[in-house]
């Protein structure tokens, strides 16, 4: 009886949308490799992002917001609501020829929002695997897909070329749903994606709520943008920085065009817009994370402390225009969107994310006090060499501590204000933006060092390592890491498969199983 009463109230609440206003539309914009320093409101407007700044200052800026250090990991947590230790994607990205994808057994964020009645579209970069069709976005909860499957490519030709052992592989990676779309060659991807997003918005059936996921190619390398966007930055001497600034302004213009369409169609007044980077900026490709330490790929704050904000006319007046300093993580969007915004159920879904909608919309404390940044038993992925004279230190770990956690393992965890890092965290320089005229600061790392402890609230730039003074905190956090590790699934990082060669698929990147 009780059960059926529950069913009834459940059905009444969720299945008769005509009795209720539609749940909000959700537009989730993910910029690629967008540095912490590189949004107007973090750099005094040096890089011009008027549309993003306007949306952020009318919304809630997330200033204690975390993502993962690289592409696939962030996207996997966004789509699954789970830490990488629970999907097997702990190590690195999914490489073009790797037969790997986000595990198929659990519903994605898009599956859940589809169940909740949303029209779901993804426009841009997928990077969650494509070696067989079940991995493709249109089989992971999206009604439509327009974009590319790999992690990066040329912005104009939409071709991805790479060296595979002794072979040169190249192929088109651009799709309109399942079909290769060769006729966008020569058109810059930020324009293509913005235009398609505007089209989806304009053609949207307003009887249904919209979920539009926009993982832009910008501002990832290669450094390419139409010349006119570089014009305002002629005075930047550093070439990479100059082009990157132009790419950023173009992305900003795209966001302006998209919000323009939302307003024109009347959708905006029932829309929540979320903007996030996928990881820290890539310093050798124009990005910058100053004053944070480290960069893309590292477990230092520069790799994972992301730029992000939420903007919506639905936010109460008293949070509009505020800065939120509660701990929020990219894995939190799944439950926040499904339960917090869409009002749908998460029953039966096992997640690592928290519903932080009240934290964002009402400013209450975050339910998240702990954050596993990652445990990667395979160690540091290869990092690009910085244009600097010294290589990152590779610790030959000689730390001993009464914990079962092996501290040579690359890992990091946050608990309240504490952050513990073990193993090789990646490059830990403080790198100011080239326009500042300041020189990078290269820390002296003692031989054999592989454990660091910081109080991130007091020391957001990770200057004062407290691991010697705070032995109890170190031990507690190592024990927590050990516990997480006990619940981890094995890393799935298969060998690359020569059958992925686009030459075998009409010079198009396609599934091969
Ligand atoms: C590309 O071709 C598709 C399918 O014919 C068409 O809908 C689309 O408008 C074309 N786009 C461009 C930019 O030519
Ligand atoms: C934004 O819209 C304007 C006007 O249609 C267009 O000229 C411009 O190329 C668009 N920009 C982007 C990035 O889509
Ligand atoms: C939202 O916009 C639509 C169309 O312009 C309008 O009919 C509706 O009243 C607006 N709703 C609110 C809450 O302002």
């Amino acid at each position: 009886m009780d059960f059926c009463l529950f069913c009834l109230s459940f059905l009444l609440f969720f299945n008769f949308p005509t009795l209720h206003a539609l749940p909000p539309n959700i537009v989730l914009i993910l910029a690629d490799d967008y540095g912490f320093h590189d949004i107007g409101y973090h750099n005094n407007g040096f890089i011009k992002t008027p549309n993003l700044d306007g949306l952020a200052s009318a919304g809630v800026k997330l200033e204690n917001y975390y993502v993962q250090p690289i592409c696939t990991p962030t996207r996997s947590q966004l789509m699954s609501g789970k830490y990488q230790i629970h999907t097997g994607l702990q190590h690195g990205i999914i490489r073009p020829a790797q037969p790997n994808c986000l595990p198929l057994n659990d519903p994605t964020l898009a599956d859940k929002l589809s169940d909740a009645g949303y029209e779901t579209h993804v426009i841009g970069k997928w990077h969650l695997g494509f070696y067989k069709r079940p991995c493709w976005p249109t089989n992971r909860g999206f009604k439509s897909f327009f974009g590319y499957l790999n992690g990066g490519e040329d912005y104009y030709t939409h071709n991805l070329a790479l060296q595979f052992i002794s072979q040169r592989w190249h192929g088109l990676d651009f799709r309109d749903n399942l079909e290769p779309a060769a006729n966008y060659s020569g058109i810059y991807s930020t324009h293509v994606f913005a235009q398609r997003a505007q089209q989806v918005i304009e053609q949207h059936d307003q009887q249904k709520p919209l979920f539009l996921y926009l993982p832009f190619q910008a501002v990832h390398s290669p450094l390419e943008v139409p010349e006119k966007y570089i014009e305002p930055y002629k005075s930047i001497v550093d070439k990479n920085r100059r082009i990157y600034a132009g790419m950023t302004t173009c992305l900003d213009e795209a966001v302006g065009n998209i919000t323009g369409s939302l307003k024109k169609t009347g959708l905006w007044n029932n829309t929540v817009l979320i903007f996030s980077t996928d990881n820290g900026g890539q310093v050798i490709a124009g990005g910058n994370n100053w004053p944070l330490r480290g960069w893309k790929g590292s477990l230092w704050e520069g790799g994972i402390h992301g730029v992000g904000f939420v903007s919506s006319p639905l936010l109460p007046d008293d949070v509009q225009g505020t800065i939120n300093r509660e701990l929020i993580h990219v894995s939190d969007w799944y439950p926040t969107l499904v339960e917090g915004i869409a009002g749908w159920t998460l029953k039966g879904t096992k997640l690592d994310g928290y519903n932080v909608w009240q934290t964002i919309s009402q400013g209450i404390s975050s339910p998240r006090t702990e954050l596993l940044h990652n445990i990667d038993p395979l160690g540091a992925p290869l990092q690009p060499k910085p244009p600097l004279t010294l290589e990152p230190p590779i610790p030959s770990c000689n730390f001993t501590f009464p914990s079962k956690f092996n501290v040579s393992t690359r890992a990091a965890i946050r608990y309240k204000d504490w952050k513990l890092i073990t193993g090789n965290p990646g490059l830990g320089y403080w790198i100011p933006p080239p326009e500042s005229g300041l020189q990078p600061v290269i820390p002296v790392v003692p031989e054999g060092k592989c454990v660091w402890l910081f109080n991130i609230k007091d020391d957001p730039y990770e200057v004062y390592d407290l691991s010697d003074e705070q032995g109890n905190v170190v031990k507690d956090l190592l024990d927590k890491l050990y516990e997480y590790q006990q619940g981890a699934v094995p890393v799935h990082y298969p060998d690359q498969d020569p059958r992925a060669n686009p030459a075998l698929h009409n010079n198009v990147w396609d599934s091969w199983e």
Side-chain angles (χ1 to χ4, degrees):
M1 242 359 232
D2 278 0
F3 174 71
C4 281
L5 278 178
F6 173 76
C7 289
L8 188 64
S9 56
F10 181 80
L11 285 174
L12 281 175
F13 188 76
F14 292 109
N15 282 2
F16 293 92
T18 45
L19 299 178
H20 300 272
L22 281 186
N25 306 303
I26 300 169
V27 176
L28 173 51
I29 301 176
L30 195 69
D32 202 349
D33 284 8
Y34 191 30
F36 186 81
H37 188 71
D38 301 335
I39 197 158
Y41 62 82
H42 280 173
N43 62 36
N44 287 322
F46 180 80
I47 293 185
K48 291 167 187 56
T49 56
N51 292 295
L52 294 171
D53 292 347
L55 287 164
S57 54
V60 177
K61 291 175 185 160
L62 307 178
E63 292 296 341
N64 193 4
Y65 172 61
Y66 285 83
V67 289
Q68 295 304 109
I70 40 175
C71 303
T72 299
T74 283
R75 287 152 214 268
S76 74
Q77 297 211 19
L78 179 63
M79 279 299 136
S80 71
K82 291 177 202 252
Y83 291 149
Q84 289 147 252
I85 58 163
H86 294 139
T87 57
L89 296 170
Q90 293 93 318
H91 184 70
I93 57 166
I94 296 178
R95 302 201 168 273
Q98 255 183 332
N100 200 5
C101 75
L102 184 68
L104 297 170
N105 39 0
D106 294 317
T108 65
L109 170 60
D111 284 321
K112 281 286 183 188
L113 289 173
S114 277
D115 292 348
Y118 278 71
E119 286 275 303
T120 56
H121 303 274
V122 49
I123 300 170
K125 161 167 156 177
W126 180 240
H127 212 187
L128 287 175
F130 65 94
Y131 75 104
K132 57 184 183 182
R133 289 290 163 119
C135 303
W136 287 38
T138 43
N139 291 317
R140 304 306 321 264
F142 288 101
K143 186 182 157 191
S144 82
F145 165 57
F146 183 90
Y148 57 110
L149 296 160
N150 280 292
E153 60 183 4
D154 188 276
Y155 278 80
Y156 292 99
T157 64
H158 316 295
N159 270 257
L160 169 62
L162 54 81
Q163 196 67 29
F164 185 84
I165 312 170
S166 62
Q167 296 167 353
R168 185 77 183 156
W169 286 9
H170 63 90
L172 177 73
D173 185 2
F174 218 57
R175 299 256 168 185
D176 190 345
N177 290 308
L178 299 182
E179 294 308 312
N183 60 338
Y184 294 86
S185 179
I187 317 179
Y188 188 63
S189 85
T190 305
H191 289 119
V192 179
F193 295 149
Q195 206 170 59
R196 175 56 70 114
Q198 291 179 275
Q199 209 176 73
V200 164
I201 290 164
E202 277 151 27
Q203 292 169 1
H204 177 63
D205 170 6
Q206 299 215 1
Q207 304 303 318
K208 292 181 179 172
L210 168 70
F211 174 49
L212 183 53
Y213 171 42
L214 297 174
F216 273 96
Q217 178 170 9
V219 288
H220 196 289
S221 63
L223 291 165
E224 296 175 329
V225 72
E227 195 59 36
K228 72 165 185 174
Y229 294 97
I230 307 177
E231 205 61 45
Y233 301 108
K234 279 283 184 276
S235 64
I236 302 182
V237 178
D238 185 279
K239 185 173 176 221
N240 285 355
R241 188 71 173 153
R242 186 164 68 235
I243 302 172
Y244 175 94
M247 293 165 77
T248 304
T249 293
C250 183
L251 172 65
D252 181 79
E253 185 182 284
V255 173
N257 286 1
I258 290 161
T259 49
S261 293
L262 289 166
K263 286 174 183 160
K264 201 173 91 192
T265 53
L267 288 175
W268 176 247
N269 64 13
N270 193 35
T271 293
V272 178
L273 181 144
I274 296 155
F275 179 85
S276 171
T277 187
D278 69 335
N279 47 244
Q282 176 75 299
V283 174
I284 51 166
N288 194 270
N289 308 296
W290 182 258
L292 301 179
R293 183 173 183 176
W295 63 351
K296 173 182 177 178
S298 78
L299 289 169
W300 303 105
E301 294 287 291
I304 58 180
H305 188 160
V307 55
F309 64 81
V310 177
S311 196
S312 170
L314 300 172
L315 288 170
D317 288 348
D318 60 334
V319 299
Q320 292 198 16
T322 61
I323 290 176
N324 186 305
R325 299 191 195 280
E326 292 294 317
L327 186 61
I328 294 175
H329 181 237
V330 66
S331 63
D332 298 334
W333 294 125
Y334 187 120
T336 301
L337 269 46
V338 173
E339 198 179 55
I341 298 178
W344 194 245
T345 176
L346 286 170
K347 219 163 154 275
T349 323
K350 205 169 172 308
L351 301 176
D352 295 308
Y354 291 85
N355 176 356
V356 293
W357 185 236
Q358 292 192 324
T359 302
I360 292 167
S361 62
Q362 295 168 28
I364 67 164
S365 309
S366 177
R368 176 182 284 288
T369 52
E370 187 168 314
L371 169 50
L372 177 70
H373 292 303
N374 199 19
I375 303 173
D376 181 354
L378 300 187
L382 281 181
Q383 291 201 48
K385 290 191 167 81
L388 302 167
T389 48
L390 287 174
E391 289 299 301
I394 307 295
S396 53
C397 191
N398 64 14
F399 187 90
T400 50
F401 214 89
S403 168
K404 290 185 197 154
F405 189 74
N406 177 348
V407 291
S408 66
T409 309
R410 177 181 168 89
I413 187 171
R414 173 82 172 260
Y415 178 69
K416 297 187 176 163
D417 297 332
W418 295 112
K419 177 183 179 186
L420 181 88
I421 309 175
T422 65
N424 179 2
L427 187 89
Y429 303 167
W430 292 270
I431 306 175
E435 63 271 13
S436 70
L438 300 172
Q439 288 306 307
V441 178
I442 301 170
V444 179
V445 180
E447 185 73 31
K449 180 152 184 66
C450 55
V451 174
W452 293 260
L453 179 74
F454 300 98
N455 183 314
I456 295 296
K457 189 169 177 207
D458 296 345
D459 177 24
Y461 315 138
E462 299 169 298
V463 179
Y464 306 104
D465 171 28
L466 301 174
S467 59
D468 287 339
E469 293 155 43
Q470 298 282 348
N472 288 339
V473 179
V474 172
K475 177 170 171 25
D476 286 351
L477 294 182
L478 288 175
D479 289 348
K480 274 184 191 292
L481 282 176
Y482 182 74
E483 224 171 277
Y484 276 112
Q485 198 172 36
Q486 296 310 102
V489 303
V491 181
H492 187 60
Y493 197 75
D495 289 341
Q496 307 213 55
D497 187 336
R499 289 179 298 167
N501 188 349
L504 306 172
H505 312 277
N506 292 320
N507 295 318
V508 170
W509 289 93
D510 205 339
S511 46
W512 63 91
E513 269 187 24

